[in-house]
Amino acid sequence: MVTAPRVGVVALQGGVREHVELLASLGAFPVPLRRPDELVGPDGLRVDAVVLPGGESSTIDRLLRLFGLGHPLRDAIAAGLPTLGTCAGLIQLASRIEDPAPGQESFGVLDVTVRRNAFGRQVDSAETCLDTAWGPAQVAFIRAPEVVAYGPSVTPLARLHDRLVAVNQGAITGIAFHPELTGETLFHRRLLESIR
Amino acid sequence: MKRGLADMLKGGVIMDVVTAEQARIAEDAGAIAVMALERVPADIRAQGGVARMSDPDLIDEITAAVSIPVMAKARIGHFVEAQVLQELGVDYIDESEVLSPADYVNHIDKHAFTVPFVCGATNLGEALRRITEGAAMIRSKGEAGTGDVSEATRHIRTIKREIAGLAATLASDPAELYVAAKELQAPYALVREVAERGELPVVLFVAGGIATPADAAMMMQLGADGVFVGSGIFKSGDPAKRAAAIVKATALYSDPRVITEASRGLGEAMVGINVADVPAPHRLSERGW
């Protein structure tokens, strides 16, 4: 019998539940992550993949450090844990933030430079069908960041209005938008397929 | 689409600020958004008079000072104040009973705007009427500016109980949902949707009287998606420390150990007024319908 893959969803703040529901609908076993011991047990990692949801990136960064989840999570991702970061999650994964909030840090595991709120404020948020290297995707943009520069190991996946909004680097995928709000399964399916 | 926007605020704390400096303290403490105001509710209550939308200069200053979303309040029914706030590019408009109502019959037609709205409610019927008008987010009203959390407790419990009641009605006899819609004074389709989901179709925050980490965690344990803290932070002895502590307690609301640590050494809390001592005509939660 094949057991369902355990997928951690960082659950400190933001749009956690939609990811949990989407993962469950794809046959995975979602695991909300708030504390280090939910990520790493005595026998090593307790999840097969991880999702970093959207929310307020500076708040999530602060809470990750406050609760001691940041370091072990960063190390696990750097060591090859399959990872999907959406919106604030993409910012958290990035090597460089062009315009960080005071004191804001990121994991530095995805070789990109991101710009926060690149598309303007809430009033400019929208739902759209995006052409990606993996196929079409119906997604929502909310105060989305963009990738303004990337290293040689990074593959661009999608652009919106000539701005790079989705990238892949090995086991890590970073997207500036929200597939979970529209029920788009493409990126979560890819994440589950990459677990082996 | 507007309904999904507020999802990104879940599990977070929204703080009232009256200066750019306070806005920076709030952002630094981990607030997910700030509410730009000229006076916090405790001062509006103390000073009396007509309370209106803030000066656009103040809102611009606060917007320039932080990178997190900025909200601002319009008076109930004052659709032109809302037009101004949309023009300023605020991220959310709060159609708020904390300000003096501009229309005692109609609320703002929120579908006419691209900016999302948050509205107050004391019960499920009121919440559903605001959603029908286009609200993207509901906050229970509580009794703002008192530091007394009892009204906030009553409102979130009422809304949760009424939602559970609808779900039970759906399970026992769906035909009774028509009468439920009549009694709630809300459209049947929306009532049915809430009965099926077992929750509102938008996020539900709690506001009004929250002053401590334990207050915030209690609201989360009662089923809130997040909290607004108004006068409770910047009317206290050590705002930066209290703000960070409330953020922590809201994120890990079910862990008594975290809430205990967060509650230590915060200095003086806001003085507060018992809601029972506020004469009925001065109760803000009774504004709106």
Side-chain angles (χ1 to χ4, degrees):
Chain A
M1 193 185 114
V2 181
T3 53
R6 294 169 56 88
V7 181
V9 180
V10 176
L12 295 171
Q13 191 270 314
V16 175
R17 202 186 59 192
E18 290 76 6
H19 284 289
V20 166
E21 288 171 358
L22 199 54
L23 288 163
S25 79
L26 294 172
F29 185 77
V31 183
L33 299 178
R34 295 184 183 86
R35 306 180 147 282
D37 57 6
E38 292 166 333
L39 175 71
V40 189
D43 307 322
L45 277 183
R46 307 178 75 164
V47 296
D48 305 306
V50 69
V51 173
L52 282 71
E56 199 46 52
S57 65
S58 53
T59 305
I60 292 174
D61 165 53
R62 188 191 158 74
L63 294 174
L64 278 169
R65 282 183 277 145
L66 203 56
F67 298 131
L69 181 60
H71 273 296
L73 182 58
R74 188 213 163 275
D75 292 347
I77 296 170
L81 180 68
T83 302
L84 173 64
T86 65
C87 198
L90 161 65
I91 297 170
Q92 190 65 42
L93 294 170
S95 294
R96 295 160 299 274
I97 305 173
E98 193 181 74
D99 51 346
Q104 183 173 7
E105 296 170 15
S106 59
F107 286 166
V109 292
L110 176 62
D111 188 13
V112 297
T113 304
V114 293
R115 178 185 294 148
R116 298 159 70 222
N117 304 336
F119 292 85
R121 308 191 69 87
Q122 207 78 289
V123 289
D124 301 314
S125 300
E127 188 176 325
T128 185
C129 187
L130 202 62
D131 268 327
T132 82
W134 293 345
Q138 185 71 27
V139 299
F141 282 80
I142 299 172
R143 287 169 61 92
E146 72 166 307
V147 174
V148 292
Y150 58 95
S153 56
V154 172
T155 309
L157 294 179
R159 291 177 194 274
L160 179 72
H161 307 314
D162 290 331
R163 301 184 198 204
L164 187 54
V165 291
V167 294
N168 175 256
Q169 175 194 307
I172 304 173
T173 300
I175 56 181
F177 43 83
H178 299 274
E180 79 284 3
L181 290 182
T182 53
E184 172 62 62
T185 58
L186 175 65
F187 299 95
H188 295 76
R189 277 189 283 120
R190 281 281 186 153
L191 179 71
L192 296 179
E193 283 163 16
S194 68
I195 302 171
R196 309 256 181 265
Chain B
M1 179 58 214
K2 273 199 251 170
R3 281 183 176 188
L5 285 179
D7 273 1
M8 296 309 126
L9 303 176
K10 275 190 210 162
V13 182
I14 299 165
M15 301 181 191
D16 280 2
V17 299
V18 299
T19 64
E21 175 57 23
Q22 289 185 358
R24 278 188 286 267
I25 291 171
E27 178 174 42
D28 219 27
I32 38 152
V34 291
M35 179 75 71
L37 291 169
E38 272 171 0
R39 296 183 284 172
V40 294
D43 289 333
I44 292 175
R45 186 177 289 286
Q47 294 162 11
V50 175
R52 309 179 179 88
M53 174 186 80
S54 299
D55 188 310
D57 280 347
L58 176 79
I59 293 170
D60 281 346
E61 249 172 67
I62 287 170
T63 303
V66 295
S67 60
I68 53 179
V70 175
M71 304 184 171
K73 288 184 193 288
R75 283 178 267 178
I76 289 175
H78 206 315
F79 53 89
V80 175
E81 283 190 349
Q83 290 165 7
V84 171
L85 294 175
Q86 176 164 288
E87 182 67 25
L88 287 170
V90 302
D91 295 288
Y92 287 84
I93 295 174
D94 183 2
E95 185 179 17
S96 178
E97 70 283 357
V98 169
L99 305 182
S100 310
D103 187 331
Y104 278 95
V105 180
N106 304 288
H107 281 70
I108 296 170
D109 171 11
K110 292 162 276 287
H111 291 293
F113 293 81
T114 53
V115 61
F117 278 74
V118 50
C119 288
T122 58
N123 57 52
L124 180 59
E126 202 177 347
L128 296 182
R129 288 191 289 280
R130 298 295 87 77
I131 294 168
T132 305
E133 294 157 3
M137 175 176 183
I138 296 293
R139 56 170 175 74
S140 66
K141 286 180 180 172
E143 189 57 37
T146 59
D148 178 346
V149 84
S150 62
E151 284 295 280
T153 304
R154 193 158 67 86
H155 298 157
I156 183 80
R157 279 194 185 276
T158 301
I159 293 171
K160 287 283 169 185
R161 186 175 60 243
E162 289 176 319
I163 292 173
L166 283 187
T169 302
L170 178 69
S172 64
D173 186 357
E176 292 182 5
L177 284 176
Y178 296 104
V179 174
K182 186 194 79 176
E183 284 166 355
L184 287 167
Q185 298 179 54
Y188 171 76
L190 188 54
V191 169
R192 172 107 199 176
E193 185 184 350
V194 170
E196 284 169 359
R197 296 170 62 114
E199 61 180 0
L200 292 181
V202 302
V203 297
L204 173 62
F205 271 51
V206 168
I210 295 166
T212 69
D215 287 350
M218 178 180 173
M219 296 305 129
M220 296 299 286
Q221 289 194 25
L222 287 173
D225 289 319
V227 299
F228 284 80
V229 185
S231 321
I233 289 172
F234 290 100
K235 285 284 169 191
S236 74
D238 187 345
K241 192 169 182 190
R242 182 169 295 265
I246 290 177
V247 167
K248 200 172 175 180
T250 303
L252 286 195
Y253 61 86
S254 56
D255 189 334
R257 212 174 48 189
V258 170
I259 300 158
T260 305
E261 288 311 308
S263 303
R264 290 183 196 275
L266 296 181
E268 220 173 308
M270 71 180 284
V271 177
I273 315 164
N274 290 307
V275 171
D277 298 337
V278 179
H282 299 293
R283 290 190 190 164
L284 305 178
S285 61
E286 289 170 15
R287 294 173 171 176
W289 38 92

